[in-house]
Amino acid sequence: MSDQIKFIVEKLNKEPFKKNYNLITFDSLEPMQLLQVLNDVLAEIDPKQVVDIREEMPDQTAKRMLSLLGILKYKPPGNATDMSTFRQGLVIGSKPVIHPVLHWLLQRTNELKKRAYLARFLIKLEVPAEFLQDETVADTNKQYEELMEGFKTLHKECEQLKTSGFSTAEIRRDISAMEEEKDQLIKRVERLKKRVETVQNHQRMLKIARQLRVEKEREEFLAQQKQEQKNQLFHAVQRLQRVQNQLKSMRHAAADAKPESLMKRLEEEIKFNSYMVSEKFPKELDNKKKEMHFLQKVVSEPAMGHSDLLELEAKINEVNTQINQLIEKKMMRNEPIEGKLSLYRQQASIISRKKEAKAEELQEAKEKLSNLEREVSMKATQTREFDGTEVLKGDEFKRYVSKLRSKSTVFKKKHQIIAEFKAEFGLLQRTEELLKQRHENIQHQLQTVEDKKGISGYSYTQEELERVSALKSEVDEVKGRTLDGMSEMVKKLNSLVAEKKSALAPIIKELRQLRQKCQELTQECEEKKTQYDSCAAGLESNRSKLEQEVRGLREECLQEESRYHYTNCMIKNLEVQLRRATDEMKAYVSSDQQEKRKAIRQYTKNIAEQENLGKKLREKQKTVRESHGPNMKQAKMWRDFEQLMECKKQCFLKQQSQTSIGQRNLLRTFLSCFEETFI
């Protein structure tokens, strides 16, 4: 775990995050800050995720992050029960949930960027089949799929070009070389034009060459068109085979089925479709409309601040307290009729939820069945194209497997016999080689003896004579044997045919009787099987009913337990409030001043006095703040006036000895006039 956090901190401190975390600061992050860090990492992978989660609802944040993690194919540890804890931990910002996600994302950021980019263009929008019956919608969907396939090919080409190792310098060299070749070709064309102009009828020859080029292009176009038509014909033949197979399977199913089972199946389908149309789809449509209305309302409202959120939390708390009070009043009444109705309502809601769940399961099962049938038909066509034979089904496949097993046992026996023959053949071959070597040695010794005696070749001629006489006698014997054997064989065959006929006659009679018994037993077996199926279906329905009742009783037991715990919690809260009220009364009534000071009323009185004092001080601060500017301006004017008068005084003192009495009077009048104007 420490290595995981260390890796996360190292990655977050690098580009492009630059978080400047250490292990202590990262571990001490609050849940909201940890969620913001996760959102920043997701925004680096997908720029659409750049959101301040403080301005977003927690449910929307969790939904957005879960959808992106699903696109990125993140698999949280654990089974299906841990998925709910993972979602809850993602909503509340739990560290054991977010740390593994951050570690997984930061390990493969570049790969996930590419996956998020491709997901914007390659996640297919599922259009319902009933909408695809419209031609415009079907054409638009087809164009959408074609554009998606085009994007796939272009992206593959782009990736190949990136990994091919082409450099800009090589491309520039190729372009310059192609420009040089172009200039050379232009010069050659000009030279050929000048040379052709000297030839007689050059215009006619150019015209014929142009027509030849046009005809070649037309030939290529026709060949391409022919190939396209061949492909279309091949696809049409495949489609025809697929449709014929479907028709054959449907006829086979119709031939095997009985009218009662077909009617029962049709009634079940009608009930299911009517339930989907009348109950489920309208509810889903209403829910979607409510969600859309709520989202439009949220979009139309202005952005909320922290104060608005506090007000909403206060309102939510007030509404929760009112709900708790109403629940307490209802529980105090304890009307038996309402209790029974609530039980019936709960049972009805449980049954409706189960019905909806089963309908969804049935819909998913039908979709899976259709997908599997489509895959089976595709595999059958592929095998038919590859091998030319049809795929075996049911009893034929079982018979084929039994034949293979019997053949495999025979093959094993024959293989063992062949191995024994091979071993014996090896021994005989070795003995033959030894005997040949011994014979060669004896022949060599005999030739040496004959050479010594002067009768070389005697043994060879003697052997030849013996061999010829033996062959003659063998041929005569074979001729006699063949004649005798043929006559004996004819007699044996006639006697064997007569014996087999006499032996098979009672067996054939027994076989006829056994066939009749087999037909009777198969009919009885089918009847017993139908009885067993009906009995099993009845027992299964009874079992499902009992399971539903048990589930309902368990849910009622859980509800009663939750209600019991809730009442216990409310009683404890009331006891705590009562204890606090008695302590307050004791402190308020007691004669001790220290105890009175501990009372909440004394604190509330002090708080009210301090609030009034603060209010007066705020008003005084407001008046001072309003008159601060003009007062400062007036003080500055007085300081300027003092400086001016000081200057005048100094000037007057300097010129006092030189000025006359008239000038003094003039100065006095000037000063008096200046003071009057200033005042």
Side-chain angles (χ1 to χ4, degrees):
M1 196 69 181
S2 60
D3 296 334
Q4 190 180 42
I5 295 173
K6 195 182 292 183
F7 175 77
I8 293 168
V9 171
E10 287 177 0
K11 288 290 184 180
L12 290 175
N13 290 333
K14 293 179 182 178
E15 289 284 345
F17 304 106
K18 291 184 178 180
K19 294 291 184 180
N20 295 324
Y21 288 142
N22 55 27
L23 293 175
I24 297 168
T25 55
F26 180 75
D27 193 49
S28 62
L29 288 176
E30 294 181 357
M32 189 66 71
Q33 294 174 345
L34 198 60
L35 279 173
Q36 186 64 48
V37 171
L38 177 60
N39 191 74
D40 294 339
V41 175
L42 292 174
E44 179 63 26
I45 293 168
D46 188 4
K48 289 183 180 179
Q49 306 295 322
V50 180
V51 176
D52 189 358
I53 60 172
R54 292 175 296 180
E55 299 177 357
E56 192 178 25
M57 296 293 289
D59 296 337
Q60 293 178 357
T61 305
K63 188 176 180 181
R64 178 170 56 79
M65 289 182 178
L66 284 170
S67 63
L68 183 59
L69 289 173
I71 290 168
L72 299 177
K73 295 181 180 178
Y74 173 72
K75 294 181 179 178
N79 50 16
T81 57
D82 294 333
M83 282 299 294
S84 60
T85 58
F86 174 75
R87 293 192 188 96
Q88 189 176 2
L90 192 63
V91 172
I92 64 175
S94 177
K95 290 179 183 178
V97 173
I98 292 177
H99 285 175
V101 177
L102 284 172
H103 185 261
W104 186 79
L105 292 173
L106 294 170
Q107 270 184 335
R108 45 182 72 81
T109 308
N110 295 324
E111 180 186 350
L112 296 176
K113 280 183 182 179
K114 183 178 177 182
R115 192 176 292 172
Y117 169 73
L118 293 174
R120 278 188 284 170
F121 305 102
L122 296 181
I123 291 177
K124 190 175 179 182
L125 296 173
E126 296 294 336
V127 182
E130 56 267 19
F131 293 140
L132 288 174
Q133 292 177 0
D134 191 0
E135 293 181 358
T136 56
V137 176
D139 294 337
T140 308
N141 189 30
K142 189 176 180 182
Q143 291 177 3
Y144 168 68
E145 291 176 353
E146 290 174 355
L147 289 171
M148 191 180 287
E149 294 295 328
F151 174 77
K152 287 180 183 178
T153 54
L154 289 173
H155 182 71
K156 286 180 183 177
E157 291 175 1
C158 180
E159 291 295 324
Q160 288 174 1
L161 289 172
K162 284 181 181 178
T163 56
S164 60
F166 288 123
S167 62
T168 55
E170 291 179 357
I171 294 168
R172 285 173 184 169
R173 283 198 296 271
D174 292 339
I175 290 168
S176 60
M178 290 169 72
E179 287 178 351
E180 290 176 359
E181 289 179 0
K182 182 182 176 184
D183 296 334
Q184 291 176 3
L185 288 170
I186 289 168
K187 290 177 182 178
R188 284 182 65 187
V189 168
E190 289 177 353
R191 286 199 299 269
L192 288 170
K193 279 184 180 179
K194 290 178 182 178
R195 194 181 297 171
V196 168
E197 285 175 356
T198 58
V199 180
Q200 294 180 354
N201 298 325
H202 65 278
Q203 292 291 337
R204 184 168 172 273
M205 292 173 73
L206 287 172
K207 188 177 179 181
I208 291 167
R210 195 177 295 113
Q211 289 177 357
L212 178 63
R213 180 175 57 78
V214 170
E215 291 297 328
K216 282 184 178 179
E217 290 178 355
R218 189 182 174 191
E219 184 180 0
E220 290 177 357
F221 175 73
L222 289 172
Q224 188 177 1
Q225 196 172 4
K226 183 180 178 182
Q227 187 66 32
E228 289 178 357
Q229 288 180 357
K230 281 184 179 179
N231 293 330
Q232 290 177 1
L233 180 62
F234 179 70
H235 290 306
V237 169
Q238 283 185 342
R239 201 179 300 119
L240 179 62
Q241 289 177 356
R242 202 179 302 123
V243 172
Q244 285 177 352
N245 291 327
Q246 289 178 0
L247 181 62
K248 192 186 291 182
S249 62
M250 290 173 71
R251 283 177 178 172
H252 184 69
D256 292 339
K258 295 179 181 179
E260 292 83 3
S261 60
L262 288 172
M263 289 296 292
K264 190 175 180 181
R265 197 184 307 155
L266 288 172
E267 286 176 357
E268 289 176 355
E269 288 181 358
I270 289 165
K271 286 179 182 178
F272 175 72
N273 292 325
S274 61
Y275 167 72
M276 295 290 285
V277 171
S278 61
E279 294 184 14
K280 189 177 178 184
F281 287 156
K283 286 182 182 178
E284 290 181 355
L285 186 62
D286 293 336
N287 292 327
K288 295 293 182 184
K289 284 180 179 178
K290 287 178 182 177
E291 288 180 2
M292 188 176 71
H293 181 67
F294 177 71
L295 292 172
Q296 287 177 354
K297 189 177 178 182
V298 170
V299 169
S300 61
E301 288 181 356
M304 287 185 168
H306 188 66
S307 60
D308 297 330
L309 291 173
L310 291 174
E311 289 179 1
L312 285 173
E313 286 179 357
K315 287 181 181 177
I316 289 165
N317 291 327
E318 289 177 1
V319 172
N320 286 329
T321 53
Q322 290 176 3
I323 289 166
N324 292 329
Q325 290 174 2
L326 291 171
I327 290 168
E328 288 175 3
K329 289 179 181 178
K330 188 176 180 182
M331 290 172 69
M332 291 292 288
R333 289 178 189 169
N334 197 10
E335 294 180 359
I337 298 170
E338 289 291 331
K340 290 180 180 178
L341 288 174
S342 64
L343 289 174
Y344 290 132
R345 288 196 194 101
Q346 288 173 2
Q347 289 178 359
S349 63
I350 290 164
I351 290 166
S352 63
R353 283 199 297 271
K354 288 179 181 177
K355 193 175 181 182
E356 290 175 358
K358 292 297 180 184
E360 290 177 357
E361 289 177 1
L362 182 61
Q363 191 71 20
E364 291 176 357
K366 283 188 176 180
E367 291 176 357
K368 286 182 181 178
L369 181 62
S370 62
N371 292 326
L372 291 171
E373 287 178 351
R374 202 179 301 114
E375 288 180 2
V376 167
S377 63
M378 288 172 64
K379 297 292 183 184
T381 52
Q382 288 176 2
T383 52
R384 198 179 297 110
E385 290 171 3
F386 179 73
D387 196 8
T389 58
E390 292 187 357
V391 180
L392 299 175
K393 296 179 182 178
D395 297 333
E396 294 179 357
F397 184 73
K398 289 179 181 177
R399 283 192 230 105
Y400 179 69
V401 170
S402 63
K403 284 181 182 178
L404 282 177
R405 285 174 182 169
S406 61
K407 286 181 180 180
S408 65
T409 54
V410 173
F411 171 75
K412 288 176 182 177
K413 290 178 181 178
K414 298 292 184 183
H415 188 70
Q416 189 176 2
I417 292 166
I418 289 167
E420 292 174 356
F421 282 152
K422 282 182 179 179
E424 190 174 354
F425 175 72
L427 290 171
L428 292 171
Q429 197 171 8
R430 180 62 180 165
T431 53
E432 185 183 3
E433 289 176 357
L434 293 171
L435 290 171
K436 280 182 179 179
Q437 288 178 0
R438 194 180 295 172
H439 178 69
E440 287 176 357
N441 293 326
I442 291 167
Q443 286 291 332
H444 185 68
Q445 291 175 3
L446 184 62
Q447 285 179 1
T448 54
V449 170
E450 286 177 354
D451 290 335
K452 285 180 181 178
K453 299 292 184 181
I455 52 172
S456 60
Y458 176 76
S459 62
Y460 178 73
T461 53
Q462 186 69 27
E463 287 177 358
E464 285 291 325
L465 289 170
E466 289 177 358
R467 188 170 65 80
V468 169
S469 62
L471 286 171
K472 184 176 181 299
S473 62
E474 285 177 0
V475 168
D476 294 335
E477 287 178 1
V478 165
K479 285 181 181 178
R481 284 176 194 162
T482 51
L483 293 171
D484 296 334
M486 288 174 71
S487 61
E488 288 177 0
M489 191 179 291
V490 170
K491 291 178 182 178
K492 285 180 180 179
L493 288 171
N494 291 324
S495 62
L496 281 170
V497 168
E499 288 175 0
K500 293 290 181 184
K501 283 182 179 179
S502 60
L504 286 172
I507 295 170
I508 290 167
K509 290 180 181 179
E510 291 178 359
L511 181 63
R512 287 172 184 169
Q513 295 175 358
L514 290 172
R515 280 180 181 171
Q516 290 179 358
K517 286 183 180 179
C518 179
Q519 290 178 357
E520 292 174 357
L521 289 171
T522 51
Q523 290 178 359
E524 188 177 355
C525 178
E526 288 177 355
E527 291 175 357
K528 297 291 183 182
K529 191 177 180 181
T530 53
Q531 290 177 3
Y532 170 75
D533 292 334
S534 62
C535 182
L539 292 172
E540 185 68 24
S541 63
N542 292 328
R543 187 177 66 82
S544 62
K545 287 178 183 177
L546 291 171
E547 285 180 354
Q548 288 177 359
E549 290 177 358
V550 169
R551 289 196 194 100
L553 292 171
R554 282 180 180 172
E555 289 178 357
E556 289 177 5
C557 181
L558 291 172
Q559 288 175 0
E560 294 296 332
E561 285 181 358
S562 63
R563 193 180 298 169
Y564 168 72
H565 291 304
Y566 175 74
T567 52
N568 281 334
C569 291
M570 292 299 293
I571 288 165
K572 288 179 181 178
N573 288 328
L574 291 171
E575 287 176 355
V576 170
Q577 290 177 4
L578 183 62
R579 198 181 301 118
R580 287 175 65 186
T582 53
D583 293 338
E584 178 66 21
M585 287 297 293
K586 286 178 183 178
Y588 185 72
V589 172
S590 66
S591 59
D592 192 1
Q593 294 296 326
Q594 291 182 355
E595 291 290 331
K596 279 190 176 182
R597 286 174 187 170
K598 291 180 181 178
I600 296 171
R601 293 185 182 180
Q602 189 68 27
Y603 286 121
T604 53
K605 186 178 179 182
N606 293 332
I607 289 165
E609 290 176 357
Q610 293 296 324
E611 285 179 353
N612 292 327
L613 182 60
K615 189 174 181 182
K616 289 177 182 179
L617 290 172
R618 282 195 293 273
E619 289 176 356
K620 191 174 180 181
Q621 184 184 10
K622 186 177 180 182
T623 55
V624 170
R625 196 175 288 167
E626 288 175 354
S627 62
H628 177 69
N631 290 334
M632 291 298 291
K633 188 175 181 182
Q634 191 174 4
K636 189 182 179 198
M637 287 172 68
W638 278 108
R639 284 194 295 272
D640 294 339
F641 178 69
E642 284 179 357
Q643 291 178 3
L644 182 62
M645 293 305 293
E646 187 68 30
C647 183
K648 290 290 184 181
K649 183 181 177 183
Q650 290 176 3
C651 292
F652 176 72
L653 291 172
K654 285 180 183 180
Q655 294 178 2
Q656 191 175 9
S657 59
Q658 300 175 2
T659 56
S660 62
I661 297 167
Q663 288 176 349
R664 290 176 186 172
N665 294 329
L666 183 63
L667 182 61
R668 284 189 189 126
T669 57
F670 174 72
L671 289 172
S672 64
C673 291
F674 184 75
E675 287 176 357
E676 287 175 359
T677 56
F678 183 74
I679 291 165

mmCIF file of all heavy atoms in Angstrom, residues 264 529-545:
data_model
loop_
_atom_site.group_PDB
_atom_site.id
_atom_site.type_symbol
_atom_site.label_atom_id
_atom_site.label_comp_id
_atom_site.label_asym_id
_atom_site.label_seq_id
_atom_site.Cartn_x
_atom_site.Cartn_y
_atom_site.Cartn_z
ATOM 1 N N LYS A 264 -50.237 -22.076 -26.317
ATOM 2 C CA LYS A 264 -49.746 -21.673 -24.993
ATOM 3 C C LYS A 264 -48.576 -20.707 -25.112
ATOM 4 O O LYS A 264 -48.498 -19.692 -24.400
ATOM 5 C CB LYS A 264 -49.323 -22.926 -24.231
ATOM 6 C CG LYS A 264 -49.031 -22.678 -22.760
ATOM 7 C CD LYS A 264 -48.740 -23.978 -22.053
ATOM 8 C CE LYS A 264 -48.449 -23.728 -20.563
ATOM 9 N NZ LYS A 264 -48.142 -24.996 -19.868
ATOM 10 N N LYS A 529 -43.194 -39.165 -19.943
ATOM 11 C CA LYS A 529 -42.356 -37.959 -19.953
ATOM 12 C C LYS A 529 -43.206 -36.700 -19.871
ATOM 13 O O LYS A 529 -42.884 -35.748 -19.154
ATOM 14 C CB LYS A 529 -41.494 -37.941 -21.209
ATOM 15 C CG LYS A 529 -40.413 -36.885 -21.195
ATOM 16 C CD LYS A 529 -39.551 -36.986 -22.432
ATOM 17 C CE LYS A 529 -38.466 -35.917 -22.379
ATOM 18 N NZ LYS A 529 -37.615 -35.957 -23.587
ATOM 19 N N THR A 530 -44.323 -36.677 -20.643
ATOM 20 C CA THR A 530 -45.225 -35.514 -20.583
ATOM 21 C C THR A 530 -45.826 -35.365 -19.188
ATOM 22 O O THR A 530 -45.936 -34.253 -18.653
ATOM 23 C CB THR A 530 -46.334 -35.661 -21.625
ATOM 24 O OG1 THR A 530 -46.976 -36.940 -21.470
ATOM 25 C CG2 THR A 530 -45.782 -35.566 -23.033
ATOM 26 N N GLN A 531 -46.225 -36.527 -18.587
ATOM 27 C CA GLN A 531 -46.761 -36.469 -17.219
ATOM 28 C C GLN A 531 -45.710 -35.941 -16.239
ATOM 29 O O GLN A 531 -45.996 -35.114 -15.377
ATOM 30 C CB GLN A 531 -47.218 -37.868 -16.784
ATOM 31 C CG GLN A 531 -48.458 -38.373 -17.508
ATOM 32 C CD GLN A 531 -48.820 -39.793 -17.102
ATOM 33 O OE1 GLN A 531 -48.164 -40.369 -16.233
ATOM 34 N NE2 GLN A 531 -49.845 -40.356 -17.745
ATOM 35 N N TYR A 532 -44.466 -36.432 -16.418
ATOM 36 C CA TYR A 532 -43.376 -35.960 -15.537
ATOM 37 C C TYR A 532 -43.140 -34.458 -15.704
ATOM 38 O O TYR A 532 -42.958 -33.734 -14.723
ATOM 39 C CB TYR A 532 -42.108 -36.735 -15.855
ATOM 40 C CG TYR A 532 -40.883 -36.175 -15.189
ATOM 41 C CD1 TYR A 532 -40.645 -36.361 -13.822
ATOM 42 C CD2 TYR A 532 -39.958 -35.433 -15.928
ATOM 43 C CE1 TYR A 532 -39.530 -35.826 -13.216
ATOM 44 C CE2 TYR A 532 -38.848 -34.894 -15.328
ATOM 45 C CZ TYR A 532 -38.632 -35.095 -13.975
ATOM 46 O OH TYR A 532 -37.527 -34.563 -13.385
ATOM 47 N N ASP A 533 -43.141 -33.985 -16.975
ATOM 48 C CA ASP A 533 -42.913 -32.555 -17.225
ATOM 49 C C ASP A 533 -43.998 -31.710 -16.586
ATOM 50 O O ASP A 533 -43.720 -30.657 -15.983
ATOM 51 C CB ASP A 533 -42.841 -32.285 -18.727
ATOM 52 C CG ASP A 533 -41.603 -32.896 -19.346
ATOM 53 O OD1 ASP A 533 -40.607 -33.082 -18.619
ATOM 54 O OD2 ASP A 533 -41.629 -33.184 -20.563
ATOM 55 N N SER A 534 -45.266 -32.146 -16.744
ATOM 56 C CA SER A 534 -46.368 -31.367 -16.160
ATOM 57 C C SER A 534 -46.271 -31.351 -14.632
ATOM 58 O O SER A 534 -46.457 -30.314 -13.988
ATOM 59 C CB SER A 534 -47.707 -31.947 -16.607
ATOM 60 O OG SER A 534 -47.850 -33.292 -16.141
ATOM 61 N N CYS A 535 -45.943 -32.529 -14.056
ATOM 62 C CA CYS A 535 -45.807 -32.602 -12.591
ATOM 63 C C CYS A 535 -44.643 -31.731 -12.109
ATOM 64 O O CYS A 535 -44.750 -31.018 -11.106
ATOM 65 C CB CYS A 535 -45.606 -34.052 -12.175
ATOM 66 S SG CYS A 535 -45.488 -34.293 -10.380
ATOM 67 N N ALA A 536 -43.531 -31.804 -12.842
ATOM 68 C CA ALA A 536 -42.362 -30.989 -12.459
ATOM 69 C C ALA A 536 -42.680 -29.510 -12.566
ATOM 70 O O ALA A 536 -42.255 -28.708 -11.724
ATOM 71 C CB ALA A 536 -41.173 -31.345 -13.356
ATOM 72 N N ALA A 537 -43.431 -29.117 -13.628
ATOM 73 C CA ALA A 537 -43.797 -27.705 -13.775
ATOM 74 C C ALA A 537 -44.679 -27.254 -12.616
ATOM 75 O O ALA A 537 -44.510 -26.150 -12.071
ATOM 76 C CB ALA A 537 -44.505 -27.497 -15.100
ATOM 77 N N GLY A 538 -45.647 -28.129 -12.212
ATOM 78 C CA GLY A 538 -46.504 -27.759 -11.082
ATOM 79 C C GLY A 538 -45.710 -27.616 -9.794
ATOM 80 O O GLY A 538 -45.904 -26.661 -9.028
ATOM 81 N N LEU A 539 -44.808 -28.570 -9.552
ATOM 82 C CA LEU A 539 -43.973 -28.478 -8.345
ATOM 83 C C LEU A 539 -43.072 -27.250 -8.383
ATOM 84 O O LEU A 539 -42.845 -26.592 -7.355
ATOM 85 C CB LEU A 539 -43.120 -29.745 -8.213
ATOM 86 C CG LEU A 539 -43.894 -31.047 -7.910
ATOM 87 C CD1 LEU A 539 -42.964 -32.238 -8.001
ATOM 88 C CD2 LEU A 539 -44.544 -30.976 -6.520
ATOM 89 N N GLU A 540 -42.560 -26.941 -9.580
ATOM 90 C CA GLU A 540 -41.695 -25.754 -9.703
ATOM 91 C C GLU A 540 -42.469 -24.476 -9.417
ATOM 92 O O GLU A 540 -41.978 -23.554 -8.759
ATOM 93 C CB GLU A 540 -41.103 -25.712 -11.121
ATOM 94 C CG GLU A 540 -40.094 -24.601 -11.355
ATOM 95 C CD GLU A 540 -38.824 -24.825 -10.570
ATOM 96 O OE1 GLU A 540 -38.530 -25.987 -10.237
ATOM 97 O OE2 GLU A 540 -38.138 -23.833 -10.284
ATOM 98 N N SER A 541 -43.724 -24.419 -9.932
ATOM 99 C CA SER A 541 -44.548 -23.226 -9.664
ATOM 100 C C SER A 541 -44.856 -23.118 -8.163
ATOM 101 O O SER A 541 -44.798 -22.019 -7.586
ATOM 102 C CB SER A 541 -45.840 -23.303 -10.472
ATOM 103 O OG SER A 541 -46.611 -24.436 -10.062
ATOM 104 N N ASN A 542 -45.173 -24.274 -7.518
ATOM 105 C CA ASN A 542 -45.424 -24.234 -6.064
ATOM 106 C C ASN A 542 -44.177 -23.791 -5.300
ATOM 107 O O ASN A 542 -44.253 -23.004 -4.353
ATOM 108 C CB ASN A 542 -45.867 -25.615 -5.574
ATOM 109 C CG ASN A 542 -47.245 -26.006 -6.100
ATOM 110 O OD1 ASN A 542 -48.091 -25.126 -6.292
ATOM 111 N ND2 ASN A 542 -47.460 -27.279 -6.345
ATOM 112 N N ARG A 543 -43.029 -24.302 -5.728
ATOM 113 C CA ARG A 543 -41.781 -23.915 -5.068
ATOM 114 C C ARG A 543 -41.514 -22.426 -5.216
ATOM 115 O O ARG A 543 -41.100 -21.747 -4.271
ATOM 116 C CB ARG A 543 -40.624 -24.716 -5.657
ATOM 117 C CG ARG A 543 -39.301 -24.516 -4.932
ATOM 118 C CD ARG A 543 -38.225 -25.390 -5.535
ATOM 119 N NE ARG A 543 -37.911 -24.987 -6.878
ATOM 120 C CZ ARG A 543 -37.082 -23.984 -7.193
ATOM 121 N NH1 ARG A 543 -36.491 -23.312 -6.230
ATOM 122 N NH2 ARG A 543 -36.842 -23.686 -8.445
ATOM 123 N N SER A 544 -41.753 -21.884 -6.451
ATOM 124 C CA SER A 544 -41.533 -20.444 -6.664
ATOM 125 C C SER A 544 -42.491 -19.620 -5.804
ATOM 126 O O SER A 544 -42.104 -18.579 -5.247
ATOM 127 C CB SER A 544 -41.716 -20.113 -8.141
ATOM 128 O OG SER A 544 -43.046 -20.411 -8.543
ATOM 129 N N LYS A 545 -43.758 -20.103 -5.681
ATOM 130 C CA LYS A 545 -44.712 -19.373 -4.832
ATOM 131 C C LYS A 545 -44.237 -19.363 -3.377
ATOM 132 O O LYS A 545 -44.287 -18.335 -2.694
ATOM 133 C CB LYS A 545 -46.095 -20.019 -4.927
ATOM 134 C CG LYS A 545 -46.814 -19.761 -6.244
ATOM 135 C CD LYS A 545 -48.153 -20.465 -6.270
ATOM 136 C CE LYS A 545 -48.864 -20.270 -7.618
ATOM 137 N NZ LYS A 545 -50.151 -21.008 -7.676
#
